[in-house]
Amino acid sequence: MAIYVITWNIKAGQNRDGTYPDPKTENLDRIADAIKNSGALIASLQEVDAFTTRSGDIHQAEYITNRLTVLTGVTWYYKYITSIEMNPGYYGNAIVSRYPLTTALRVSLPKVNGSEDRSFLLVRADFDSTYLYAGTFHLGLNGDQSIHAQQIKDALNNNGYSDQKLIIGGDLNDDEGSDPYNIMLYNVFPMADTGPGGVCTLQCYNNPNNPKVDFWFKRGVSVDTSKSQVLQIDISDHRPVLAYVYTG
C-alpha cells in the first residue's frame, strides 16, 4: 500500500502577510481543498489554533477534518498537541488523517533561546492490514532548533519508536545541511530526507530562492522520491511538501 502525505505550516489560518481573511475560515477551506486535491491521506500541520480569539474561536484541526469529511464523503480523523496556551485557546500542531489515529507520543519542546515553546506529536495510523507512525513537529528559533531536534530523536529512541515505520513532517526552521537537519538525519538513529531538495518553502512569493525549511523524514518505509514535491500554493507564508510513502 502507498499513500501521499503532506506537511504544512498553516500560519493559524492567516494570509501570508499575517492578516486574516473574512470569514476567518476561508483559508481553512482552501487548505482542506488543497489537501484533498493533492491526494494526501495524512496531513502533518503546524501553527494550528484551537479556540483562540484571533482565529475566530474554532478548533482549526477539527474544522479542516470536518471539511475533508464533507469533501471526500468518508470520515477523517485528527489528533492535536498544544505548544502554547493562548488564554483563551491553544496554539500547536496537528495530524489530520483519512485513517483512524491513536496518540503514541507527545513531547513538549520548551524554549531555551527562542521566544516560544514548541512541540512534537507522534500518532499511529492504522490501515486495513498495516500501520504507520506519523509525526508533526515545529522547532524553535535562535538555536532552539538543534536542541528541539535532539529532544525529538531522543524521545523516539527512548520510547521504542526508532525501529518502527516512521514518517515525520514539520517546520525545521532551518535549511538543508544545517545542524538540526543533520541531527534529524544522523543522531541517535538514522533517518532519511524524502526530498525534494533545494526547493523554497518559506515566503517563496517574495523570493523563490528562499530556503526549504519544511521536511519529511522517514525510517523503516520506502518513499518514491520522484513523486516528492513542494506544492506551488501560497495560502500561508509556507508552502506544503508532498511525499509518496509505501506503508508495507
Side-chain angles (χ1 to χ4, degrees), residues 6-235:
I6 192 170
T7 184
W8 199 349
N9 182 325
I10 67 167
K11 198 177 174 68
Q14 298 170 10
N15 299 315
R16 64 191 193 189
D17 63 0
T19 62
Y20 276 94
D22 184 16
K24 290 183 175 180
T25 55
E26 179 180 328
N27 283 343
L28 303 183
D29 290 337
R30 294 175 64 200
I31 289 164
D33 289 345
I35 292 171
K36 175 185 176 292
N37 292 338
S38 75
L41 298 179
I42 294 177
S44 167
L45 306 178
Q46 303 84 47
E47 294 197 27
V48 184
D49 274 8
F51 307 122
T52 65
T53 300
R54 67 180 181 180
S55 297
D57 300 310
I58 64 170
H59 196 306
Q60 293 184 326
E62 181 179 62
Y63 184 94
I64 291 169
T65 301
N66 290 341
R67 171 75 174 170
L68 283 164
T69 297
V70 171
L71 289 172
T72 63
V74 293
T75 302
W76 285 62
Y77 307 86
Y78 78 92
K79 294 291 183 183
Y80 183 80
I81 185 171
T82 296
S83 298
I84 301 173
E85 292 192 13
M86 299 292 287
N87 297 316
Y90 309 93
Y91 169 81
N93 306 317
I95 296 280
V96 174
S97 169
R98 167 62 186 87
Y99 305 100
L101 301 175
T102 304
T103 299
L105 187 63
R106 294 173 177 267
V107 181
S108 296
L109 304 174
K111 62 186 178 185
V112 178
N113 303 303
S115 59
E116 292 184 354
D117 295 333
R118 301 296 169 93
S119 65
F120 168 69
L121 172 67
L122 185 73
V123 302
R124 174 170 162 152
D126 282 291
F127 314 116
D128 291 337
S129 58
T130 186
Y131 67 91
L132 178 69
Y133 285 97
T136 180
F137 65 84
H138 186 197
L139 306 189
L141 295 167
N142 301 323
D144 282 2
Q145 299 98 314
S146 294
I147 296 169
H148 292 163
Q150 188 63 55
Q151 289 173 330
I152 290 171
K153 294 298 289 291
D154 286 338
L156 288 168
N157 186 63
N158 294 339
N159 288 276
Y161 295 106
S162 58
D163 288 325
Q164 294 288 343
K165 295 184 288 186
L166 297 173
I167 187 77
I168 295 172
D171 180 356
L172 197 69
N173 262 323
D174 220 327
D175 56 12
E176 295 163 274
S178 64
D179 286 343
Y181 177 82
N182 288 327
I183 289 169
M184 292 300 293
L185 289 183
Y186 305 119
N187 282 22
V188 189
F189 62 92
M191 300 186 77
D193 179 359
T194 71
V199 184
C200 171
T201 64
L202 179 64
Q203 296 181 344
C204 306
Y205 46 86
N206 287 333
N207 181 359
N209 296 316
N210 277 348
K212 182 183 180 187
V213 300
D214 302 273
F215 299 89
W216 280 109
F217 298 103
K218 62 102 172 179
R219 165 89 170 165
V221 294
S222 297
V223 171
D224 184 345
T225 56
S226 70
K227 295 183 179 180
S228 296
Q229 59 180 305
V230 174
L231 302 182
Q232 306 298 298
I233 299 171
D234 293 322
I235 294 173

